Amino acid sequence: MTPACGPIRLRFALQGDRAHVRATDVLAAMMTQFHDRPLALKFARPLVGPALLHCPAQPGGAVAGRAGEVSFSLTADPDTRASRRAADRTPALHLRVGPLDCFAFRPGTPLAARIAAIFDRLHPLQSERFLVRLITVFPGPERLGPVLWSRLTITNDRSRARLDLAGPAGRLATLEFHLTARNQTPSQAPALPQSTG
């Protein structure tokens, strides 16, 4: 679906005791809106609850992106209060093979849930907090595959990281992160420059 004119309300909920919407919840919503298109999401700052989807993109959004040739942005929805739900825990089999982390999921597990599960298992093993800055999802059969592998790369100065995801038929997605100390909140992290679309 491609949004027509005017903003579309997205009723994001906060998981568990989190103060911000998970990047993978934003990804899931965008995959619903732009089914099967390649996606690129840039996170300028965290969303603290429900949001408005603007298409084409408007400047100043918390999230800006592209779905194929379509630009969009998300801004906070000031008229809707955030609700809460229990934190998700997607079942996955996790094996480490050399530099790769391999994951197997139940057939039909949504892509955003698979990405969240991979990150949930890898993030606690790191000494820094990872803040999502960019997500790119490629088209192709890997979106449906139950088996994925990942490779986490961290820069020498430990300021940034990249998680590459792939499957038997090729690449699936990349996630890029800004790293901060564990005691630093997401709102204290430096903001990215605003996208012009």
Side-chain angles (χ1 to χ4, degrees):
M1 169 186 168
T2 301
C5 58
I8 295 174
R9 179 168 282 122
L10 301 173
R11 299 186 179 276
F12 293 120
L14 303 178
Q15 287 195 37
D17 60 356
R18 294 175 64 89
H20 304 96
V21 177
R22 291 191 66 159
T24 46
D25 287 347
V26 174
L27 174 62
M30 294 303 94
M31 292 188 76
T32 299
Q33 296 294 326
F34 303 105
H35 184 66
D36 286 339
R37 294 191 189 190
L39 280 173
L41 302 174
K42 179 185 284 189
F43 296 82
R45 59 185 173 277
L47 284 169
V48 296
L52 298 173
L53 169 62
H54 305 274
C55 184
Q58 294 187 358
V63 180
R66 296 196 73 80
E69 298 302 315
V70 178
S71 71
F72 60 86
S73 61
L74 297 177
T75 59
D77 180 356
D79 299 324
T80 307
R81 292 188 57 175
S83 60
R84 290 202 170 270
R85 62 184 172 89
D88 292 337
R89 187 68 177 171
T90 301
L93 174 65
H94 175 199
L95 298 172
R96 174 159 282 178
V97 181
L100 300 178
D101 287 278
C102 301
F103 296 86
F105 297 92
R106 292 176 181 163
T109 302
L111 175 59
R114 285 180 277 147
I115 292 175
I118 291 170
F119 183 64
D120 285 347
R121 284 156 178 80
L122 298 181
H123 186 214
L125 305 177
Q126 312 307 316
S127 57
E128 295 88 1
R129 179 192 300 272
F130 282 41
L131 303 176
V132 179
R133 291 309 195 194
L134 297 167
I135 298 178
T136 304
V137 179
F138 307 104
E142 291 309 329
R143 289 194 178 195
L144 301 175
V147 177
L148 299 173
W149 49 82
S150 66
R151 182 187 300 268
L152 180 64
T153 307
I154 300 175
T155 58
N156 289 336
D157 64 1
R158 300 195 71 84
S159 65
R160 289 172 294 147
R162 176 183 172 115
L163 181 64
D164 292 290
L165 305 175
R171 64 185 184 167
L172 170 65
T174 61
L175 289 81
E176 297 182 39
F177 307 93
H178 176 80
L179 277 59
T180 65
R182 285 278 180 184
N183 58 359
Q184 186 177 13
T185 65
S187 60
Q188 294 171 316
L192 288 179
Q194 294 296 312
S195 171
T196 57

